[in-house]
Amino acid sequence: MEYTGSQYIGEYVDGRMEGKAEYILPTETRYVGEMKDGMFHGQGTLYFPSGSQFDAVWENGLVVKGEYTFSDGLQYDAEFWHYCDSYDRRFYTEICHGLKPAGISQLTNMDPPRKIPKGCYDCGDGFYDPVTRIVKDYKNRFLRNAEVYKTAQALLSDNP
């Protein structure tokens, strides 16, 4: 565990992870359920940092049957998936709570939408500040420095 950054809280049988357990990955994704011979086995749920979860029956580390639920409660159905398709383009929150009055647009499924700090851009996993060239997550924690990529034309013009 010390080499992977993971954490295991649970039972052991003959030195192997086995029985009811909680397994926390370095990404903060958590598995809560049954283990056998060091693998997910039986009933278990993966909880993702985004708030979504995957409930499944596992066999020797592989999914036998599972159901994914997004953080807003929308359940994924591979056979009858009708969310935001060509027939109905509404967001899930619009399906649950109705459309906004005319002239008020809903641009994302999140309602109300995130407040973007002045001068910054939402880049999917956080906010990018072009002045500092830093991306911070939505809780204002450092994620990464932004890199500058030059086009081939710009690279050619830099060389004498």
Side-chain angles (χ1 to χ4, degrees):
M1 296 296 157
E2 66 186 85
Y3 299 112
T4 65
S6 300
Q7 182 181 4
Y8 177 76
I9 304 162
E11 304 168 0
Y12 288 90
V13 174
D14 295 327
R16 296 181 183 265
M17 297 180 285
E18 196 153 319
K20 296 205 180 295
E22 180 175 1
Y23 188 89
I24 305 167
L25 296 135
T27 60
E28 297 180 16
T29 297
R30 295 181 310 117
Y31 171 80
V32 177
E34 300 171 40
M35 302 280 284
K36 181 180 176 186
D37 198 23
M39 294 180 278
F40 302 167
H41 189 85
Q43 186 67 42
T45 302
L46 282 169
Y47 296 95
F48 299 95
S50 66
S52 59
Q53 68 183 58
F54 183 66
D55 300 297
V57 175
W58 306 79
E59 189 171 315
N60 297 318
L62 301 174
V63 173
V64 175
K65 182 178 180 181
E67 186 175 86
Y68 184 84
T69 305
F70 293 89
S71 61
D72 61 6
L74 175 65
Q75 292 186 330
Y76 177 72
D77 184 341
E79 191 173 341
F80 300 107
W81 184 248
H82 296 297
Y83 169 69
C84 209
D85 60 12
S86 59
Y87 176 73
D88 186 353
R89 302 293 294 169
R90 293 178 295 165
F91 291 109
Y92 182 64
T93 51
E94 292 175 314
I95 293 169
C96 293
H97 307 293
L99 296 171
K100 300 275 185 206
I104 301 174
S105 298
Q106 185 168 333
L107 302 176
T108 70
N109 188 51
M110 188 179 292
D111 187 42
R114 284 188 188 96
K115 294 202 183 298
I116 301 173
K118 187 174 179 152
C120 294
Y121 302 92
D122 189 338
C123 57
D125 59 349
F127 298 119
Y128 167 66
D129 184 337
V131 174
T132 62
R133 297 185 45 236
I134 291 176
V135 177
K136 292 184 178 181
D137 71 9
Y138 297 122
K139 294 180 181 176
N140 205 31
R141 296 178 297 197
F142 176 84
L143 282 179
R144 64 184 173 277
N145 289 312
E147 296 182 28
V148 175
Y149 294 100
K150 290 188 175 185
T151 63
Q153 182 67 33
L155 288 171
L156 290 173
S157 66
D158 285 346
N159 295 326

